[in-house]
Amino acid sequence: MSANAQLLLLASAAVVTLIVLIARFKLHPFVALITVSLALGIVAGMPFGAVVKAFQDGVGTVLGFIAIVVALGTMLGKMMAESGAAARIATTLVGRFGEARVHWAIMVVAFIVGIPVFFQVGFVLLIPLVFTIARRTGLSLVKIGIPLVAGLSVVHGMMPPHPAAMLAVVAYKADTGRTIAYAILVGLPTAALAGPIFASWIAPRIALPAENPVAAQFTGDTGVTVAPSFGISLLTVLLPVILMLGASTADVALDATSPVRAVFDFIGGPVVALLVALLFSFWSLGYRQHFSREQILKFANDCLAPTATILLVIGAGGGFNRVLIESGVGKAIADVALGSQASPLLLAWTVAALIRVATGSATVAMTTSAGIVAPIAAATPGTHAELLVLATGAGSLVLSHVNDAGFWLIKEFFNMTVQQTLKTWTVAETIIGVAGLGFTLLLSLLVGCAPREPQLSAQGWVDVTATLDPARTPVYEGDAPMKFDFLKDMRKGDKLTLSVYSLGAHSGTHIDAPMHFIANGAPIDQVPLTALVGSARIIEIPDSVQAIDAAELNRHEWKGARRVLFRTRSTSRGWMDSAFHKDFAYIAPDAAQLLADGGVVLIGVDYISAEQFGAPVPRTHQILLGKGIPIVEGLDLRPVQAGDYDLIVLPLKVRGHEGAPARALLRKR
């Protein structure tokens, strides 16, 4: 059995074990995720200390961002509830839609109010309104209630700043503003199908008891005499969305060096946008409503306690993801998926749906599937990260049943039997999952994620090959000098021009094959194209750094990148176009080991060696080439900056030798 097959088998066993522990043995997801993560890392062969560190790093990376978003969003939702702003939005829209279309109004209300709050919070905020409308109009609670939960569920699963969606945004490196815009385009028709349209069909087929004990007791009275106006309520809840969309618009419309764009990017980041909206709510929904400072402080404190469990599960999910990646499972999955040409959108939806059905948790489903699919997405050209967030979110919502806390919440509040809840809530959630995927695939046709005929063009490609010039190109000490001459020259009266070149295999931009330092290593003509063509990440190393060691490497975002190119002092000083320098930046052996263990398939440097000059043992080359990782040396990275690119680097196909000059091209992703 191949190494990849073993890792995939281990990953499958880990996911199944996780599902069984949560669904069958009722183990808390937080405890289950920790246990399975550590066990997976150990069985996969990771050192004990490395397993724990990987899990801790994953938790810290996720919660360092998500915890802030959750806290700020929860406080904003609490201010809306206590001030009566949520009720004001609901009653105003219901009044404008009219009684005949009240179920459509409820869906829109849920979609808007649900943006900054959890599903459960939004449900508790708005269910009193549903009870009131049902009693006043005589309409079925199902016809009004299903649109409510459909609108809340769609926003909860697909739209930032909800924690699961934000986690997927981070995992896929998606743009938050574009994700929100796409979520609105996909979410509204999805909520319409699962909400008002489905509810109008199913309501006559569900006979509920005349009396509802929960409706009689659940008044939802906030004690507010006069609620804030509709305009200020709507502005407050939509302010973070407006700021984040503004940042994305500025990124498209303004130059990268524009100070105005920098300001928009700052205030439009999820954390700052939510903070601005929360501070605004303290005034618009707090002081203007005559709440005291003590009351506002109490609201902020009271609303945070219920988020503890959610944060723990999200953090543990992040730890599980990191163990998957550092154990090599992420790379193995990516290799298999790339070989099978599986659609990342369908894969993300399927994995999330399976975990959702088995565990009942949309958060666990989205967290786990994002970690599994992210390496595949990074290695698949043309995949839009924002659409992956939507596909993962849609999959995480399908087929809610008896293992989902939301199932019982709906059953008890609507006073339905288990069978009735399956026919209403479960079907509605499944419609959301399937329709959400369908609309995401349709949107992919417009934004370019769907497969299409390749259009070959030179547009966007940047040549980062060092020009070969005997007078200027540096030659490593002891290597063969470059000699270029003309056998025939039309400028001297010959009928044609004919050149002769004499140079070493490691001149200018070139590739070291494993044979260079590994006795039985592959020669340059056997280096696979899979390593030489694909996504690459350029990492900017400060001019002051000569040794790129493990500590320096980990200061940069390199994990998950398939090909890593280092832009160092050699680029800033123009050393690929001058005499040979011995103090070039190099990759230290400990960093080389991290890269080799991290699933990187190609390394590139901007000088004619990746090894420290005068190193007694070529450990960096031995480590990388020993893992079959070719090294591109002598890149001229002056025309490009740090970031993610498409890379093509092709050496001369010289049979049986250890290296060859190459041509290298980059295109910004």
Side-chain angles (χ1 to χ4, degrees):
M1 184 182 295
S2 68
N4 274 357
Q6 290 178 348
L7 286 171
L8 291 175
L9 186 61
L10 288 176
S12 301
V15 172
V16 170
T17 303
L18 183 64
I19 290 169
V20 171
L21 289 176
I22 296 173
R24 176 67 179 85
F25 294 100
K26 309 302 179 186
L27 191 63
H28 194 283
F30 177 66
V31 179
L33 282 163
I34 296 178
T35 305
V36 172
S37 299
L38 298 181
L40 172 63
I42 292 170
V43 175
M46 294 177 65
F48 291 116
V51 177
V52 176
K53 185 177 185 303
F55 185 83
Q56 290 175 339
D57 289 347
V59 172
T61 299
V62 169
L63 290 187
F65 172 73
I66 295 295
I68 302 172
V69 172
V70 170
L72 294 174
T74 303
M75 290 181 189
L76 179 58
K78 183 69 171 177
M79 290 302 301
M80 290 184 58
E82 295 294 341
S83 66
R88 171 67 77 185
I89 293 172
T91 53
T92 301
L93 289 178
V94 168
R96 293 181 182 178
F97 272 82
E99 185 175 308
R101 295 178 295 276
V102 70
H103 52 313
W104 287 94
I106 287 294
M107 183 208 79
V108 175
V109 167
F111 202 92
I112 295 173
V113 173
I115 288 173
V117 301
F118 293 119
F119 174 86
Q120 293 86 347
V121 175
F123 181 80
V124 173
L125 288 179
L126 297 178
I127 194 64
L129 178 65
V130 171
F131 290 147
T132 301
I133 294 173
R135 286 196 301 267
R136 184 186 305 168
T137 62
L139 294 172
S140 166
L141 187 60
V142 171
K143 184 172 183 177
I144 306 172
I146 291 300
L148 168 72
V149 296
L152 290 173
S153 184
V154 167
V155 176
H156 173 76
M158 296 185 184
M159 183 178 291
H162 279 272
M166 282 306 306
L167 183 68
V169 166
V170 173
Y172 294 134
K173 295 182 173 60
D175 178 83
T176 306
R178 280 199 296 271
T179 303
I180 291 174
Y182 292 164
I184 293 172
L185 292 175
V186 169
L188 282 174
T190 299
L193 282 175
I197 295 174
F198 170 66
S200 297
W201 180 83
I202 193 64
R205 295 164 172 78
I206 302 295
L208 298 180
E211 297 297 324
N212 187 325
V214 178
Q217 298 175 19
F218 201 92
T219 61
D221 184 13
T222 64
V224 176
T225 305
V226 180
S229 68
F230 174 74
I232 198 71
S233 301
L234 190 64
L235 175 61
T236 303
V237 71
L238 292 182
L239 185 55
V241 176
I242 293 170
L243 293 176
M244 284 186 272
L245 287 174
S248 293
T249 303
D251 288 344
V252 174
L254 300 176
D255 186 78
T257 60
S258 169
V260 176
R261 174 174 168 176
V263 172
F264 271 96
D265 285 341
F266 174 73
I267 64 175
V271 171
V272 176
L274 279 169
L275 177 62
V276 170
L278 178 61
L279 294 175
F280 181 71
S281 76
F282 289 160
W283 173 79
S284 64
L285 308 181
Y287 295 134
R288 289 182 80 251
Q289 294 302 110
H290 308 295
F291 287 116
S292 66
R293 296 178 182 176
E294 290 74 17
Q295 286 176 301
I296 294 175
L297 178 61
K298 184 176 184 300
F299 297 157
N301 287 330
D302 291 348
C303 70
L304 291 180
T307 66
T309 299
I310 295 172
L311 287 175
L312 287 174
V313 172
I314 291 174
F320 180 57
N321 294 344
R322 180 60 66 86
V323 172
L324 279 173
I325 292 171
E326 297 200 7
S327 66
V329 171
K331 178 180 179 295
I333 294 173
D335 289 342
V336 172
L338 284 172
S340 65
Q341 301 298 311
S343 164
L345 291 179
L346 292 176
L347 183 64
W349 186 91
T350 302
V351 173
L354 290 173
I355 297 174
R356 158 69 163 180
V357 171
T359 67
S361 171
T363 301
V364 171
M366 206 162 185
T367 300
T368 306
S369 57
I372 291 173
V373 178
I376 300 169
T380 305
T383 300
H384 283 242
E386 295 78 18
L387 298 184
L388 277 171
V389 175
L390 302 189
T392 307
S396 74
L397 297 174
V398 301
L399 207 63
S400 167
H401 57 95
V402 294
N403 63 353
D404 179 16
F407 178 92
W408 299 104
L409 180 74
I410 304 304
K411 176 189 177 299
E412 295 303 319
F413 271 82
F414 286 9
N415 198 25
M416 294 189 291
T417 65
V418 170
Q419 290 79 4
Q420 288 174 329
T421 312
L422 288 169
K423 293 177 182 177
T424 54
W425 162 253
T426 301
V427 174
E429 285 286 88
T430 304
I431 291 173
I432 290 173
V434 175
L437 174 63
F439 286 122
T440 300
L441 291 174
L442 287 176
L443 183 59
S444 74
L445 298 176
L446 300 178
V447 300
C449 186
R452 57 184 63 195
E453 288 298 317
Q455 299 295 318
L456 295 179
S457 168
Q459 184 176 1
W461 288 100
V462 178
D463 193 341
V464 290
T465 312
T467 301
L468 292 173
D469 182 349
R472 300 177 63 88
T473 305
V475 175
Y476 198 88
E477 189 174 283
D479 204 353
M482 279 185 278
K483 296 180 180 179
F484 294 178
D485 202 355
F486 292 99
L487 296 179
K488 295 184 182 295
D489 192 340
M490 295 179 67
R491 293 169 297 183
K492 296 180 180 180
D494 294 326
K495 295 181 179 180
L496 74 159
T497 300
L498 189 64
S499 301
V500 58
Y501 305 151
S502 173
L503 69 164
H506 302 268
S507 298
T509 303
H510 64 275
I511 295 178
D512 289 353
M515 182 182 173
H516 190 30
F517 281 102
I518 307 300
N520 297 318
I524 192 67
D525 57 304
Q526 294 180 18
V527 173
L529 283 176
T530 52
L532 305 176
V533 179
S535 61
R537 180 168 300 161
I538 296 179
I539 294 176
E540 184 81 27
I541 302 297
D543 184 84
S544 59
V545 174
Q546 183 177 2
I548 307 171
D549 55 18
E552 175 62 31
L553 178 63
N554 283 329
R555 292 189 182 97
H556 306 276
E557 290 291 332
W558 69 272
K559 293 181 179 178
R562 300 276 286 165
R563 298 161 191 83
V564 176
L565 313 179
F566 292 102
R567 190 178 191 274
T568 73
R569 55 167 63 182
S570 299
T571 292
S572 60
R573 301 180 184 187
W575 281 355
M576 277 308 295
D577 200 18
S578 67
F580 178 66
H581 292 265
K582 297 180 180 180
D583 55 340
F584 55 85
Y586 61 89
I587 302 172
D590 58 350
Q593 193 65 58
L594 280 180
L595 292 163
D597 294 340
V600 175
V601 300
L602 179 137
I603 297 297
V605 293
D606 56 354
Y607 207 58
I608 48 179
S609 180
E611 196 85 50
Q612 180 184 15
F613 180 80
V617 180
R619 287 293 300 139
T620 294
H621 278 84
Q622 290 172 348
I623 291 168
L624 295 174
L625 298 178
K627 284 272 192 173
I629 302 171
I631 306 172
V632 186
E633 297 173 332
L635 291 166
D636 183 357
L637 298 180
R638 285 176 291 184
V640 293
Q641 301 297 321
D644 290 328
Y645 292 81
D646 293 319
L647 168 70
I648 299 175
V649 54
L650 299 177
L652 294 176
K653 196 170 183 179
V654 182
R655 185 183 301 277
H657 281 265
E658 84 295 343
R663 192 73 177 264
L665 304 174
L666 287 171
R667 181 173 62 185
K668 186 72 176 176
R669 300 198 81 187

